[in-house]
Amino acid sequence: MSERYSRQVLFQPIGTNGQQRICNKHVLIVGCGALGSSNAENLVRAGVGKLTLVDRDYVELSNLQRQQLYTEKDVCDQVPKANAAKKRLQEINSEVEIMPHVLDATPISLKPLLADIDLVIDATDNFETRFMLNDLMQKHRIPWIFGSCVGSTGMSYTVLPNETPCLQCLLDTIPVSGATCDSVGIISPAVQMVVAHQTTEALKLLIDDMEALRTKLVTFDLWHNHYHTMNVNRAKKTDCPTCGNNPTYPNLNEEASSKTEVLCGRNTVQIRIPQKMNLEELASRLQNIAPIKHNDFLLSIEYKSYRLVFFYDGRTLIHGTNSIEKAKSIYNQLAG
Amino acid sequence: MSERYSRQVLFQPIGTNGQQRICNKHVLIVGCGALGSSNAENLVRAGVGKLTLVDRDYVELSNLQRQQLYTEKDVCDQVPKANAAKKRLQEINSEVEIMPHVLDATPISLKPLLADIDLVIDATDNFETRFMLNDLMQKHRIPWIFGSCVGSTGMSYTVLPNETPCLQCLLDTIPVSGATCDSVGIISPAVQMVVAHQTTEALKLLIDDMEALRTKLVTFDLWHNHYHTMNVNRAKKTDCPTCGNNPTYPNLNEEASSKTEVLCGRNTVQIRIPQKMNLEELASRLQNIAPIKHNDFLLSIEYKSYRLVFFYDGRTLIHGTNSIEKAKSIYNQLAG
Amino acid sequence: MIKVLLFAHLQEKIGKDQLELEIIQSTVAELKNKLKNQFQLYELNSVMTAINEEYAMDEDIVKSGDTVAFIPPVSGG
Amino acid sequence: MIKVLLFAHLQEKIGKDQLELEIIQSTVAELKNKLKNQFQLYELNSVMTAINEEYAMDEDIVKSGDTVAFIPPVSGG
């Protein structure tokens, strides 16, 4: 065993056998923002065999405050995050095989990447994608580790298909008012704290130390000095559409998932989610971000050079762009 | 304010004023190993004004598993950690002024660096240096943030001169059997978890949000899923030699502090600490690391190409080297 | 007395990270309604609830001495 | 019953991260001695002790229902 991993091999629950297992495993990280880049660095330093990275964005200046792996040069060069991550990760550890993919995570785009994946790390920034991952991993029987953070808070939870409650058991519907880093900000320690939990559970899973798994959902607030764990065993539902007795995987359904289309000639993109929106909640959260207008039919907000109009039926118009990518990105920043 | 810090400015307790304060502060990090490199990256990404780094080591292959900032090239080139850290940190944020110092942290070497320091982060790997820092920071009235980790565990605590109990209040004597990363190993999430706490408290101190400070000592074990906080208010001692009514700063005393000397012609270095050693404890911890011999007078151990002999009176002989640096490093690996 | 812990944007809305309520007994749903009315906490429509660190449903009973945590799912990453 | 939490190398020594002891009342010093004798836990000479998350001294009293944490200072960094 390489001197490189000597301190990890000395850690008694891992040892030489555990290190050998880690070196033979293949992990998929969905998202290469703050959580993704830090999870990737940990796993590469730990010596995971193969790492597949998926992200649709490129590096921007406002990322540098919390997104490990990236530098000012990556911002200048507008390098896609997955590619910038690979470059730095190989300088750290040339023994790991790293496969970057610059793409939107969808059931269709992810399916070909799942063949020999042992574990998936959630490093996405919105619940629509997480619910899709929840279905996809349940269907393909791959464990995945949920993580999210905003402000000084974060949460993490490990989903084992057929064993633990899944994300759908814990949250009946996709939350539309989940606070985002672009609405309430974030400090880097909140990222690190989530990643510390995700990487630890990942190492346990990679060496098959199932007894050590946390099983509880962790929530913390570093600024207000709270750390809370929640036993979720009783949340498991036998009629859950994802992990219940007759799964329908509703978030893999093309019809049910978001429909996004460019509205021709209007410099506008329309996004439709499959639930009704609670605009009161959304308004109460967005009012500090930018000027809003709210009436009985819609909520509109001026944000950067865009105007967004949210409808109760689940539709949102993003005026000021013809780019679906850009529109989704703005939408997730505000309503992610 | 730069777009770079936009997500941190959005975080309500920081805001524009807080960010301005962070950008005007000067932090000293003592040690550039696992805790030091990660603390440094966080503070540089957060936009601290000036950062002084102190470390006596160079980058080795076994560091890469957990020490952020360093790459395989740094190992090949045997770059001192403080210099390797500065290079990477400037690529991340060219706006921060970074001053690296390759030196052993002692009262004499640190004193000239303290002039305009607002905060010190403990990223050392041994309690002898921490007790010295504890005295030095009390004397110079500089807050400092203790952090340490081994295995999947770690701890952190913030010391405010004249306000909180100091390290000497919490631990009557310098622990000689503190487990080290070189004896029981370490996983990178334990590092991150300590750093998440250190950076959060650092940000609170840098923006003068004293109400938000944690005040408690945190201990955790990520593998065994424990998180424990301890209220230490009652530990404050009025007769504490460091923070009490008549401080003597015993760990700044040249006579009392470790004496290290090369034993000429014997290829041996002697280290002396100012306390008696508990060799039973030490033996029970070292027996899994290497072959030991233990009798009524001494404990000896074969380790790598060295032989160490520990005496009850506080002396240790390190056979197999004439280098004080090397001897101290080996000593701290085993008895740190 | 029931202790209520608030995470993420619930805190910002009411300016505190915990509350102490002089209530002997209540369902989770009643407790949420009380807070919605008192603080306009519409966000309580989509939170996870824990009673003494155990996942709880709307119909579960909270008693004096219990600690209730309202955990809004945060989405950033 | 007293619950004892063990951190760092204390765990490895006895192979558990917590113990439950059938004790009604004891001082911290007595509790440490009991564990030193039973498990050869010499490391208890240099630990910090918390009773119900409050710093405790050797002469403090532990009662049934309390949680005691023994926290050995770890030195790595």
Side-chain angles (χ1 to χ4, degrees), chain A residues 12-289:
Chain A
Q12 183 263 319
I14 294 184
T16 311
N17 286 340
Q19 187 61 45
Q20 200 67 58
R21 288 182 184 205
I22 293 169
C23 291
N24 287 325
K25 294 292 168 79
H26 187 174
V27 177
L28 165 64
I29 298 181
V30 184
C32 296
L35 292 177
S37 55
S38 183
N39 268 297
E41 178 159 351
N42 281 358
L43 291 176
V44 163
R45 290 195 184 274
V48 70
K50 294 185 200 175
L51 188 64
T52 295
L53 302 173
V54 170
D55 193 279
R56 68 180 175 201
D57 278 337
Y58 57 91
V59 183
E60 292 179 280
L61 185 58
S62 66
N63 302 151
L64 294 187
Q65 166 252 347
R66 68 198 178 286
Q67 298 188 14
Q68 235 168 283
L69 296 178
Y70 309 132
T71 63
E72 291 178 354
K73 185 163 190 312
D74 296 322
V75 175
C76 281
D77 298 349
Q78 300 196 329
V79 187
K81 289 183 183 178
N83 299 110
K86 178 188 162 76
K87 179 166 179 295
R88 174 67 183 171
L89 292 170
Q90 299 282 215
E91 290 167 0
I92 291 168
N93 193 342
S94 56
E95 297 168 8
V96 177
E97 192 179 337
I98 297 167
M99 287 143 296
H101 296 272
V102 183
L103 50 77
D104 214 3
T106 68
I108 294 163
S109 71
L110 290 183
K111 203 178 167 197
L113 305 179
L114 298 180
D116 65 340
I117 295 293
D118 297 292
L119 172 66
V120 172
I121 309 274
D122 162 35
T124 65
D125 62 359
N126 67 88
F127 274 105
E128 196 195 338
T129 308
R130 289 192 183 98
F131 272 66
M132 181 275 291
L133 280 183
N134 188 51
D135 276 8
L136 198 63
M137 296 313 131
Q138 202 72 36
K139 191 174 174 187
H140 290 264
R141 301 279 179 267
I142 301 171
W144 69 284
I145 305 175
F146 160 58
S148 69
C149 49
V150 300
S152 56
T153 73
M155 46 210 305
S156 181
Y157 173 67
T158 302
V159 181
L160 304 181
N162 282 353
E163 293 188 33
T164 65
C166 76
L167 193 65
Q168 183 94 46
C169 294
L170 299 182
L171 300 166
D172 299 326
T173 57
I174 301 178
V176 291
S177 65
T180 70
C181 302
D182 301 280
S183 62
V184 301
I186 181 146
I187 56 173
S188 68
V191 177
Q192 279 189 304
M193 185 93 165
V194 173
V195 173
H197 287 82
Q198 288 184 302
T199 301
T200 306
E201 299 312 290
L203 290 173
K204 292 173 185 174
L205 283 166
L206 293 179
I207 68 168
D208 298 314
D209 188 350
M210 306 307 276
E211 264 188 37
L213 283 176
R214 179 175 291 272
T215 73
K216 295 180 180 177
L217 184 145
V218 173
T219 312
F220 64 82
D221 183 335
L222 280 166
W223 205 270
H224 299 94
N225 311 309
H226 290 300
Y227 187 88
H228 186 270
T229 61
M230 176 163 68
N231 181 350
V232 295
N233 287 347
R234 49 181 307 240
K236 184 142 178 86
K237 296 182 177 68
T238 52
D239 62 348
C240 171
T242 299
C243 73
N245 296 333
N246 296 298
T248 56
Y249 308 119
N251 304 290
L252 300 184
N253 186 331
E254 267 303 289
E255 291 307 308
S257 73
S258 293
K259 286 282 193 181
T260 304
E261 48 187 314
V262 180
L263 300 190
C264 292
R266 290 182 54 190
N267 198 28
T268 295
V269 174
Q270 176 179 280
I271 294 178
R272 179 193 290 274
I273 61 168
Q275 293 95 31
K276 291 195 191 305
M277 280 196 193
N278 182 332
L279 298 189
E280 282 72 22
E281 266 187 45
L282 198 56
S284 108
R285 198 163 52 73
L286 294 179
Q287 65 194 354
N288 299 320
I289 311 305

Side-chain angles (χ1 to χ4, degrees), chain B residues 24-94:
Chain B
N24 287 326
K25 293 294 168 80
H26 186 174
V27 176
L28 165 64
I29 299 181
V30 184
C32 295
L35 292 176
S37 56
S38 183
N39 268 297
E41 178 159 352
N42 281 358
L43 290 175
V44 163
R45 290 196 184 273
V48 70
K50 295 186 201 175
L51 188 63
T52 295
L53 302 173
V54 170
D55 193 278
R56 68 180 174 200
D57 279 337
Y58 58 90
V59 183
E60 292 179 281
L61 185 58
S62 66
N63 301 153
L64 294 187
Q65 167 253 347
R66 68 198 177 286
Q67 299 190 13
Q68 235 167 283
L69 297 177
Y70 309 132
T71 63
E72 291 177 354
K73 185 162 190 310
D74 296 322
V75 175
C76 281
D77 299 349
Q78 300 196 330
V79 186
K81 289 183 182 177
N83 299 110
K86 178 186 162 76
K87 178 166 180 297
R88 174 69 182 169
L89 292 169
Q90 299 282 215
E91 289 168 1
I92 291 167
N93 193 342
S94 56

Side-chain angles (χ1 to χ4, degrees), chain B residues 247-272:
Chain B
T248 56
Y249 308 118
N251 304 289
L252 299 184
N253 186 330
E254 266 305 290
E255 291 308 307
S257 73
S258 293
K259 285 282 191 181
T260 305
E261 49 186 314
V262 181
L263 301 190
C264 292
R266 289 182 56 190
N267 197 29
T268 296
V269 174
Q270 175 179 281
I271 293 178
R272 178 194 289 277

